[in-house]
Amino acid sequence: VASELGWDEDQKQKSVLVVPDAQQPKKEDPNGGGGEDEEEEISSSVELVAAFSQAKLLLACAGPYRNCGLSILRAAVEARCDYLDLCGEPQFFDEALMNCDRLARENGVLA
């Protein structure tokens, strides 16, 4: 996208990283049962941490957060990248607080 907009390399280096779809699709059970757990862990979380570690702030705008937000938040906190989202989902807020608050405080991250 950045190339299509005509951004030079300096602009690309300073640009915001966008992760359009962090939730992987459910794997179907060949025996006709349901798929795997509702929230899949991101297999590329190491890559997300590496990417987020190059940013100062991650602004998450894609949802539903209860499906994909916690994995992105964890990667940002681990990368010591401040995290901000537009979420209004109480379930996600509670899970984020219970799962990431301590590490975010230890890492000096605003989340």
Side-chain angles (χ1 to χ4, degrees), residues 85-99:
D85 66 41
L86 304 174
C87 182
E89 301 171 29
Q91 177 187 358
F92 172 72
F93 179 78
D94 291 344
E95 288 178 10
L97 186 62
M98 291 182 343
N99 289 289

Side-chain angles (χ1 to χ4, degrees), residues 40-72:
E40 296 281 335
E41 285 298 317
I42 299 173
S43 65
S44 61
S45 63
V46 171
E47 293 156 350
L48 285 177
V49 171
F52 296 164
S53 68
Q54 298 176 38
K56 293 179 183 178
L57 172 69
L58 171 66
L59 176 58
C61 301
Y65 290 90
R66 68 183 173 275
N67 292 342
C68 62
L70 199 55
S71 297
I72 294 171

Side-chain angles (χ1 to χ4, degrees), residues 8-87:
D8 61 27
E9 288 304 313
D10 186 51
Q11 289 171 308
K12 289 178 188 178
Q13 292 295 324
K14 294 177 182 175
S15 68
V16 175
L17 174 69
V18 176
V19 180
D21 187 7
Q23 182 182 13
Q24 295 184 359
K26 295 178 185 177
K27 295 180 182 172
E28 295 299 323
D29 184 343
N31 298 321
E36 292 184 0
D37 292 334
E38 189 171 307
E39 183 179 349
E40 296 281 335
E41 285 298 317
I42 299 173
S43 65
S44 61
S45 63
V46 171
E47 293 156 350
L48 285 177
V49 171
F52 296 164
S53 68
Q54 298 176 38
K56 293 179 183 178
L57 172 69
L58 171 66
L59 176 58
C61 301
Y65 290 90
R66 68 183 173 275
N67 292 342
C68 62
L70 199 55
S71 297
I72 294 171
L73 173 57
R74 284 182 187 142
V77 169
E78 188 176 331
R80 298 176 187 263
C81 175
D82 290 337
Y83 172 92
L84 181 63
D85 66 41
L86 304 174
C87 182

